[in-house]
Amino acid sequence: GAVVSQHPSWVICKSGTSVKIECRSLDFQATTMFWYRQFPKQSLMLMATSNEGSKATYEQGVEKDKFLINHASLTLSTLTVTSAHPEDSSFYICSAREYSSYEQYFGPGTRLTVT
Amino acid sequence: AQSVAQPEDQVNVAEGNPLTVKCTYSVSGNPYLFWYVQYPNRGLQFLLKYITGDNLVKGSYGFEAEFNKSQTSFHLKKPSALVSDSALYFCAVRDSGNEKLTFGTGTRLTIIP
């Protein structure tokens, strides 16, 4: 089956620093990748959609200068949280979709804690 | 606009009993419906989907769901619950013209031994 990995699985950083999270499709080419944020005991909120080779499309209310998304290849997308603050602490989940596929395949998530 | 409602935050079922987790949806076009399961501190695992065809969809781990167009529902079911089924379950929808998934708020399923 289609496998999506995320790295790191958890990260602790100090306020003001930047953190990069990687999302990789391991056995398929992902033309589209999605980044979600999940607060404790809440649902997934879509942050942005990225297509390989083009700029990401951000959802309303998501700061694109704070959450930088790069989809540089068909198997890798990165989310960089810049100048992180404690309120950015959350569980970040990516998903990937093959061209013309109905399904999104989800990564295992990254727990970010900003101190 | 598309939306999903999971009316129950919590469902408790005795082991061995049948279980149902409810989901209703709203889309403007044809619905693509999905169920996912999430274990603590993990990503989402795909259970099953409805795109077209037979209204009864069978998925992983013995789960199934029935698409009911008139009631705009897609309830998740299993004939006999296992303790290991205890987890957080999400229903999701997108319409045929939209690549974005919209998730419900999730239902925590607890199977009581």
Side-chain angles (χ1 to χ4, degrees), chain B:
Chain B
Q2 55 191 41
S3 64
V4 177
Q6 292 181 246
E8 301 156 317
D9 291 336
Q10 174 83 39
V11 171
N12 297 326
V13 177
E15 186 178 18
N17 282 3
L19 69 87
T20 299
V21 182
K22 296 179 180 178
C23 171
T24 58
Y25 67 90
S26 175
V27 295
S28 54
N30 292 321
Y32 295 168
L33 294 153
F34 305 83
W35 275 102
Y36 293 90
V37 60
Q38 185 180 33
Y39 296 97
N41 294 308
R42 303 295 295 274
L44 271 65
Q45 294 180 31
F46 170 79
L47 282 178
L48 50 81
K49 66 176 184 276
Y50 171 84
I51 304 298
T52 187
D54 194 347
N55 289 344
L56 184 62
V57 178
K58 294 188 181 297
S60 307
Y61 312 118
F63 284 95
E64 59 187 29
E66 185 166 11
F67 171 63
N68 187 317
K69 187 173 182 178
S70 62
Q71 297 185 5
T72 61
S73 67
F74 190 57
H75 301 331
L76 180 70
K77 300 182 179 184
K78 188 173 182 179
S80 179
L82 300 173
V83 173
S84 57
D85 293 330
S86 298
L88 186 57
Y89 290 80
F90 289 101
C91 181
V93 69
R94 68 178 181 95
D95 77 33
S96 53
N98 187 349
E99 65 178 350
K100 299 178 188 178
L101 275 178
T102 297
F103 286 86
T105 50
T107 298
R108 184 161 301 281
L109 176 65
T110 301
I111 307 303
I112 303 166

